[in-house]
Every structure is written in structure tokens, then in C-alpha cells.
């Protein structure tokens, strides 16, 4: 198969793989885990350390448990904390990352109910997702969204089992605090909306914004090409995967969160400035409360941080001049852009492989894959990483396959070159051919050659005088000497002809002084001890390359110049050298003289001949 065809097939296969990986179909487990780890690393690298002032965590930490009593607190303690936050610290809204499934002290529950009626206070409800089965406890209510416009083919996360609030509480706003950990236990996704007992349940972050009046009561769920769906509610567009799960954008580092210990907010007589006008999420970092999870930002942290990340991301979108600007890139635009850039990268890899630019191939594949991965993350966060992460993977596989094929091809070519040329060209020429690693010298082509024939004089008489073994040994030694002298002057041995040889210059490598080197080799052979010899040298165009039949092939030269050199060798006197006119005109370092025109067998016209001076 031609040098370019295999890389082209690899490129086409890689392009199809890129489309397949970006089609929304489930990835193999190893690839999906790799995508998750890439997304985690992106979160850690790109997360901002700037203080997040809009969302503040009021933490039920170890110090608060020591100051206000062990968990669970009496309801009047929780009610007093909530009252302090709304009335003393003037917070904008509160989301409770706590579930109150059982009644406690009547006075405290009554105080919480009053707060639910007066302020934007969101109670939490927990639901079982996936394989988990939550025990049914408490009541479940749904306040937002009021209506959902559901397009056909949309997948909705379905819950099984619940832990809600007790019947003595009648909240205006509720949100769920359920998420689905991945196989490695890391929380990366949650359902912005889930369905339970014919009711819609919004996640805590959405419920807080809705309770503050920032979201309309109607929600639309529509498919988002090429795969996935989008939740639209006024100023929000949330892209979800085909199963209806939203990848949480962890855009803040752990140092960005302002966390106020709950006992300080509880006991404060003066407003805490950082709490004024903020959305407060109440959760626990205390180990005894057992509300810790693994996230891309830390192996173990308070679960309330997950909802804080989600709330801050929603507020980012609400505060934009064009809240839908980012979501415009979540569909076909980003998908097509990444695919086109991927095809360009694969095309460059194929060209580099075709022209044997392997360092360029490696650099292009590395830069293209890293750049595409970063571009996908910049455009879409991680909610479409699976859709847009396929092209970088395809590029790397294309590069690896191309390099693998190229190395195999180079090894095969090197083997052929070594087998063909090991005995016929000088060692330095062979090393150069192997370092080039190209099959080009094997391809028959027309070249300007200097062809030389050498024939031993008196070998027939010697064969009659000596035994076959002695004659063979002497002839072998003579041919070894001549071949060595040819190699010393850069010639290529074509073949042995009984008691002579045929050599040429100009292939597989050519040089400007091929004519001089050929004459210098002839003079060295002429001066070598042993049998007398006749030498003929001619210059002209010949077809040279890997020629022969399907049964036997060899690297040889064919053409009129070969016949002319052989005829000149026949006409040369013993220990003499005959040159043709073309060669004489190219010789620069030596003196030659004309020795008349000669009639050569097979030639209609006489041929001008020359000899070294």
C-alpha cells in the first residue's frame, strides 16, 4: 500500500471516531473516568480564589456544637439562628442544607413556621437517586416550578423514597439536596429537576433563586443537539446530559468561600457586615453530623459547599448582561467548531506522516489535542465535556496510529535497503540511506550514471593452469580488492560477471564529482597487483532501481550507457582504460586525452574514446 494511503485511512478512521465519541453515546468506562479526571483538574486549575460575597455559608462546625449543644439542636435554637440571620444580619435568603423530618419542641417549630411565612426560607428534602433507596420519612411538598413545558424525548431523573419535613411545617419554598456520586465517589452531577410522585422537585440552589423571585414559575425542558437537554427559566439556561443531570460548575476554590460559624451569628448583637444582603446556606462541616462528600475540589468537604458552588454559578448567569450568551455555545456552535478544528488537526497529521515529518506530527498532535481540550472547557465548562472531549482523544489516537505505522514502515524499508545494498554500496552510503529511511532509492527512476565495467585478462589461461579451488580463491581475492576500491571511491556494485564486475556512480546517491571518483577508482584498480584487467567507463542516462521479476529482483541499472561501457571495456587494451566523450567532458580533477573514434559492436556510428593522460 502506498506511503500516503495508510495515514489517510488512519485519518479517516480517526475522524469517524471523533464523530462517534462526540455523538452523545456512552463512553467506555476508562475513557469516561479519564474525562472526569480532566474535568476535575480543570476545576482546580481554573477556579477563582476571589472572595465570593453573594453566597455565604453559615457553618454548624465543631465550635458551634460545643457552644450551642450537640446535634440535633432544639428547634428553638435553630429558629433563633434563623431569626438572627433575617432580622439582625439582614440576609437576602436562606437555604437549609438540613432536613427536618420529625417534630421537636412545639415552640421552636411554630417559630420556624412563622419565618417560613415571612421570609425567603427554603426547606430541604432528600430523595433516593440511582440505586439508593431513601426511607420514606416526613412530608414532601413542591412549590417551584408551577408548570413545566416538557418536550418529547426528554429524560427526567426519577427519585425513589424521600426524607422531607414533618407535617407541622408548611413551607412556601422547598428544594432537594440530592445528587448522584460517580463510580469513584466524587459528586460531580445533580439533577436540577427531578420527578417524584407526580411532583417536580427543584434542586436547592434553583429553589433559593425562585424563592427570591428571580425566576419565573414556568420552566421549559428542551433537547440540545447533538446530545443532552437544556432547562430554560427566564434568565437561566442550564445544560444537562441526556439523563437530565447537570454537571456542577465548581468555579470557586475552597479559599473563596466566606464561612461564618453559626454560634457567632447566633450570639451576635450587631450585624455581621459580610452577611448583609447575602444568600446564606446553612450546613455542617462537623464530623459528627456526617455530611461530608468528595468533590473535584477536595477529597472530603462539607456537603453544603456543593450547593454553594451551584448557587454561585446560577447567580453568575443571572447577573450577566446576556444570560444566554454562554448557553449559545453549549450546542451546535461549539460542537461544529471543535469538530472542524479536529479535522484540521487530523489532516495536518496525515500530511506530516505522508512527508515523513515525524517531529512535526508529534508536536501538532500534542498541541492540537491540548488546545482542543482547553477550548472545549473554556466554551462549555464540563457539562459537555463528553461531547467535545472526543476530538482530542481521536487526534491523539490518530497520531499514535500514524507514528506506529510509520515506524513499522521505516523498519521494513530499512530492512529492504540493508538486504539490497549491504554488499553493493560503501558503509557510509548505506548508513545514510538507513538514516533517511526512505523507499525512494528502490523506486526505479531515470538518473545520470557513470557506469564502469572491469574484466580480468588471462583468467581463462589461469583456470587451465590451476585447480578449480585455487582458481576460485585467487579470483575471489581479486574481486574483493576491486570491490573494496570501488567502495572507497563511493561506487555502487551492480553485479559480478564471472571474472569481472559492473559498478556505477550516481545512484542511490549522486555527487557532483561522480566522474572523477569513477576515474580514480579505475586508476586504483589498474594499479592493483594481480591479474591484468580491461576497464571501460561511460556516462549517460539509465533506469536504475529495484528491477527484476516476481521470482528474483535486484538493484541494477538498465540503458544504452550500460551497453556502451561494456563495449568500451572490450575494446580497452590489457591494463588499459577507455572513456567515452560524455565522461571525459565531466572530469575536472584529471587530465584525459583523445585516442580516436572506434567502431563498437552494435553501434552504427563510431564512438569517440579517451584515456587518462
Amino acid at each position: 500500500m502506498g506511503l500516503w494511503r495508510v495515514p489517510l485511512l488512519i485519518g479517516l478512521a480517526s475522524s469517524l471516531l471523533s464523530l462517534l465519541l462526540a455523538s452523545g453515546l456512552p463512553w467506555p468506562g476508562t475513557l469516561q473516568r479519564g474525562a472526569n479526571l480532566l474535568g476535575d483538574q480543570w476545576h482546580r486549575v481554573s477556579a477563582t480564589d476571589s472572595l465570593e460575597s453573594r453566597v455565604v455559608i453559615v457553618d454548624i462546625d465543631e465550635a458551634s456544637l460545643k457552644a450551642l449543644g450537640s446535634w440535633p439542636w432544639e428547634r428553638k435554637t435553630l429558629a433563633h439562628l434563623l431569626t438572627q440571620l433575617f432580622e439582625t444580619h439582614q440576609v437576602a435568603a436562606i437555604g437549609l442544607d438540613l432536613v427536618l423530618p420529625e417534630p421537636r419542641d412545639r415552640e421552636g417549630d411554630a417559630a420556624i413556621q412563622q419565618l417560613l411565612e415571612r421570609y425567603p426560607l427554603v426547606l430541604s428534602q432528600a430523595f433516593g437517586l440511582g440505586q439508593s433507596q431513601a426511607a420514606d420519612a416526613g412530608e414532601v411538598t413542591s412549590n417551584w416550578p408551577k408548570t413545566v413545558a416538557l418536550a418529547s424525548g426528554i429524560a427526567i431523573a426519577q427519585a425513589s423514597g424521600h426524607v422531607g419535613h414533618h407535617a407541622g411545617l408548611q413551607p412556601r419554598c422547598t428544594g432537594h439536596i440530592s445528587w448522584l456520586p460517580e463510580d469513584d465517589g466524587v459528586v460531580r452531577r445533580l439533577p436540577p429537576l427531578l420527578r417524584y410522585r407526580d411532583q417536580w422537585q427543584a434542586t436547592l440552589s434553583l429553589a433559593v433563586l425562585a424563592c427570591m423571585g428571580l425566576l419565573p414559575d414556568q420552566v421549559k425542558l428542551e433537547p440540545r443537539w447533538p446530545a443532552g437537554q437544556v432547562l430554560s427559566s427566564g434568565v437561566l439556561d442550564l445544560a444537562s446530559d441526556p439523563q437530565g443531570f447537570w454537571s456542577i460548575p465548581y468555579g470557586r476554590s475552597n479559599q473563596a468561600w466566606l464561612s461564618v460559624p453559626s454560634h457567632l451569628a447566633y450570639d451576635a448583637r450587631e450585624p455581621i457586615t459580610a452577611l448583609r444582603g447575602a444568600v446564606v446556606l446553612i450546613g455542617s462541616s462537623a464530623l459528627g453530623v456526617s455530611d461530608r462528600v468528595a468533590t473535584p475540589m477536595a477529597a472530603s468537604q462539607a456537603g453544603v459547599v456543593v450547593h454553594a458552588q451551584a448557587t454561585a454559578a446560577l447567580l453568575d448567569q443571572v447577573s450577566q448582561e446576556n444570560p444566554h450568551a454562554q448557553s449559545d455555545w453549549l450546542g451546535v456552535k461549539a460542537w461544529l467548531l471543535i469538530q472542524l478544528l479536529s479535522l484540521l488537526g487530523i489532516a495536518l497529521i496525515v500530511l506530516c506522516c505522508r512527508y515523513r515529518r515525524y517531529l512535526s506530527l508529534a508536536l501538532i498532535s500534542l498541541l492540537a489535542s491540548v488546545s482542543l481540550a482547553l477550548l472545549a472547557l473554556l466554551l462549555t465548562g464540563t457539562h459537555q465535556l463528553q461531547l467535545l472531549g472526543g476530538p482530542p482523544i481521536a487526534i491523539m489516537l490518530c497520531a499514535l496510529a500514524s507514528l506506529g505505522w510509520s515506524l513499522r514502515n521505516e523498519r521494513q524499508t530499512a530492512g529492504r535497503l540493508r538486504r539490497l545494498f549491504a554488499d553493493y554500496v560503501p558503509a557510509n552510503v548505506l548508513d545514510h540511506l538507513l538514516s533517511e529511511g526512505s523507499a525512494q532509492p528502490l523506486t526505479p527512476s531515470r538518473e545520470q550514471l557513470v557506469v564502469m565495467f572491469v574484466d580480468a585478462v588471462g583468467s581463462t589461461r589461469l583456470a587451465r593452469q590451476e585447480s578449480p579451488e585455487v582458481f576460485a580463491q585467487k579470483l575471489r581475492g581479486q574481486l574483493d580488492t576491486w570491490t573494496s576500491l570501488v567502495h572507497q571511491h563511493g561506487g555502487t556494485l551492480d553485479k559480478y560477471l564471472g571474472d569481472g564486475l559492473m559498478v556505477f556512480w550516481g545512484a542511490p546517491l549522486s555527487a557532483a564529482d561522480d566522474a572523477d571518483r569513477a576515474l580514480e577508482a579505475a586508476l586504483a584498480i589498474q594499479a592493483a597487483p594481480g591479474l591484468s584487467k580491461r576497464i571501460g567507463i561511460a556516462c549517460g542516462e539509465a533506469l536504475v532501481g529495484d528491477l527484476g521479476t516476481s521470482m528474483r529482483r535486484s538493484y541494477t541499472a538498465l540503458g544504452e550507457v550500460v551497453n556502451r561501457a561494456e563495449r568500451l571495456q572490450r575494446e580497452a587494451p590489457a591494463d588499459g582504460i577507455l572513456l567515452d566523450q560524455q565522461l571525459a567532458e565531466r572530469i575536472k580533477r584529471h587530465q584525459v586525452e583523445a585516442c580516436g573514434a572506434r567502431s563498437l559492436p552494435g553501434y552504427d556510428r563510431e564512438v569517440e574514446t579517451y584515456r587518462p593522460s
Side-chain angles (χ1 to χ4, degrees):
M1 186 170 287
L3 183 65
W4 61 272
R5 291 187 178 92
V6 171
L8 183 60
L9 292 176
I10 292 173
L12 292 174
S14 301
S15 300
L16 291 176
L17 175 64
S18 173
L19 292 172
L20 182 64
L21 291 174
S23 65
L25 297 175
W27 282 11
T30 302
L31 286 180
Q32 187 60 62
R33 284 191 292 272
N36 288 339
L37 292 176
L38 176 61
D40 293 349
Q41 187 62 35
W42 173 255
H43 285 313
R44 289 190 287 270
V45 170
S46 62
T48 178
D49 293 331
S50 300
L51 186 66
E52 174 54 69
S53 59
R54 300 167 302 172
V55 181
V56 178
I57 296 171
V58 172
D59 187 14
I60 303 173
D61 57 0
E62 301 289 353
S64 298
L65 294 180
K66 185 176 181 179
L68 302 178
S70 60
W71 189 260
W73 288 337
E74 293 183 1
R75 291 291 158 77
K76 63 181 181 181
T77 302
L78 180 59
H80 180 74
L81 174 61
L82 296 173
T83 301
Q84 281 282 87
L85 290 170
F86 278 119
E87 297 182 357
T88 301
H89 305 299
Q90 299 293 303
V91 302
I94 297 177
L96 276 180
D97 187 24
L98 309 166
V99 184
L100 308 176
E102 299 173 353
R104 295 288 181 183
D105 51 292
R106 185 175 301 176
E107 179 184 354
D109 282 337
I112 291 176
Q113 180 60 43
Q114 290 180 4
L115 293 169
L116 288 169
E117 295 171 359
R118 295 175 57 191
Y119 297 108
L121 173 60
V122 182
L123 289 190
S124 293
Q125 303 171 137
F127 299 93
L129 295 174
Q131 300 298 320
S132 63
Q133 297 289 329
D136 291 337
E139 300 291 326
V140 173
T141 56
S142 176
N143 307 97
W144 187 89
K146 300 295 185 184
T147 59
V148 175
L150 188 64
S152 61
I154 294 296
I156 301 299
Q158 300 290 334
S160 57
H162 72 272
V163 178
H165 56 82
H166 66 84
L169 298 177
Q170 301 297 320
R172 291 188 304 113
C173 305
T174 58
H176 76 77
I177 54 173
S178 305
W179 47 58
L180 187 64
E182 308 292 344
D183 293 340
D184 56 4
V186 177
V187 175
R188 299 184 180 93
R189 302 183 299 156
L190 59 78
L193 284 182
L194 59 80
R195 192 76 171 159
Y196 182 70
R197 292 182 180 176
D198 297 326
Q199 291 182 332
W200 294 101
Q201 302 290 338
T203 187
L204 180 62
S205 53
L206 276 174
V208 169
L209 268 63
C211 197
M212 295 170 65
L214 299 178
L215 301 178
D217 289 335
Q218 184 176 5
V219 166
K220 291 192 299 183
L221 286 173
E222 300 174 317
R224 174 58 58 88
W225 192 89
Q229 58 193 54
V230 62
L231 181 154
S232 299
S233 178
V235 293
L236 285 180
D237 279 350
L238 294 186
S240 305
D241 61 23
Q243 292 74 44
F245 283 82
W246 175 42
S247 293
I248 304 162
Y250 289 89
R252 276 80 180 167
S253 69
N254 291 334
Q255 290 72 37
W257 300 110
L258 179 60
S259 180
V260 177
S262 54
H263 72 281
L264 296 181
Y266 183 96
D267 293 329
R269 296 178 181 272
E270 297 294 331
I272 297 176
T273 304
L275 293 174
R276 183 182 295 274
V279 175
V280 167
L281 299 179
I282 300 179
S284 176
S285 65
L287 295 176
V289 181
S290 300
D291 185 26
R292 302 190 70 83
V293 295
T295 72
M297 311 306 291
S300 176
Q301 63 182 147
V304 68
V305 176
V306 175
H307 299 293
Q309 293 274 12
T311 304
L314 296 180
L315 288 173
D316 285 342
Q317 193 172 152
V318 170
S319 63
Q320 291 176 354
E321 271 187 39
N322 179 8
H324 304 287
Q326 184 182 13
S327 67
D328 289 343
W329 279 104
L330 300 184
V332 63
K333 284 185 181 179
W335 191 88
L336 285 177
L337 176 61
I338 299 296
Q339 289 295 327
L340 289 174
L341 293 176
S342 171
L343 290 176
L344 176 61
I346 289 173
L348 291 175
I349 288 174
V350 171
L351 287 175
C352 289
C353 188
R354 166 67 179 87
Y355 293 104
R356 303 176 60 251
R357 300 292 188 266
Y358 302 130
L359 179 59
S360 299
L361 185 154
L363 291 176
I364 287 173
S365 62
L366 179 62
L367 291 175
S369 57
V370 171
S371 299
L372 284 181
L374 291 176
L375 183 59
L377 290 167
L378 284 170
L379 290 177
T380 67
T382 56
H383 17 304
Q384 284 195 311
L385 184 60
Q386 181 167 324
L387 295 180
L388 301 179
I393 295 174
I395 283 180
M396 290 303 298
L397 292 177
C398 176
L400 291 174
S402 298
L403 283 172
W405 177 84
S406 299
L407 291 175
R408 172 184 174 275
N409 184 67
E410 295 293 346
R411 284 197 297 269
Q412 287 184 338
T413 301
R416 291 187 65 191
L417 290 173
R418 188 175 295 279
R419 289 192 298 273
L420 277 172
F421 292 116
D423 295 329
Y424 302 106
V425 299
N428 62 326
V429 174
L430 179 58
D431 291 340
H432 181 77
L433 292 174
L434 294 177
S435 66
E436 288 290 318
S438 172
Q440 190 64 33
L442 304 179
T443 305
S445 61
R446 288 177 176 268
E447 304 291 345
Q448 282 291 325
L449 298 186
V450 176
V451 182
M452 180 173 74
F453 278 80
V454 181
D455 183 61
V457 177
S459 60
T460 303
R461 177 176 52 81
L462 182 63
R464 290 198 304 267
Q465 296 174 352
E466 304 286 356
S467 67
E469 293 80 8
V470 172
F471 174 73
Q473 183 178 4
K474 288 183 177 180
L475 184 60
R476 184 183 302 113
Q478 192 73 79
L479 294 176
D480 282 344
T481 299
W482 297 351
T483 303
S484 176
L485 292 172
V486 167
H487 283 178
Q488 289 176 23
H489 292 86
T492 298
L493 175 65
D494 185 301
K495 61 178 70 73
Y496 291 113
L497 303 167
D499 57 355
L501 50 81
M502 170 187 168
V503 295
F504 54 80
W505 284 257
L509 298 178
S510 62
D513 61 343
D514 281 339
D516 285 288
R517 290 195 292 171
L519 181 56
E520 289 165 359
L523 293 172
I525 292 174
Q526 184 185 48
L531 296 173
S532 297
K533 67 284 297 181
R534 295 187 178 93
I535 301 175
I537 313 175
C539 178
E541 188 179 74
L543 182 67
V544 61
D546 186 12
L547 301 170
T549 68
S550 59
M551 300 179 63
R552 183 173 182 178
R553 304 182 66 85
S554 64
Y555 188 81
T556 188
L558 299 176
E560 184 273 334
V561 66
V562 176
N563 296 329
R564 195 180 337 133
E566 191 271 338
R567 302 295 192 275
L568 288 172
Q569 173 262 312
R570 290 187 187 181
E571 292 295 319
D575 290 321
I577 302 173
L578 275 185
L579 319 175
D580 70 352
Q581 185 172 358
Q582 292 92 321
L583 180 67
E585 292 173 351
R586 293 183 57 184
I587 291 175
K588 305 299 181 184
R589 296 196 295 264
H590 301 273
Q591 297 294 319
V592 296
E593 59 183 27
C595 54
R598 297 173 183 258
S599 296
L600 301 181
Y603 284 81
D604 296 334
R605 297 180 181 179
E606 291 184 338
V607 175
E608 294 292 335
T609 60
Y610 294 79
R611 64 188 177 197
S613 300

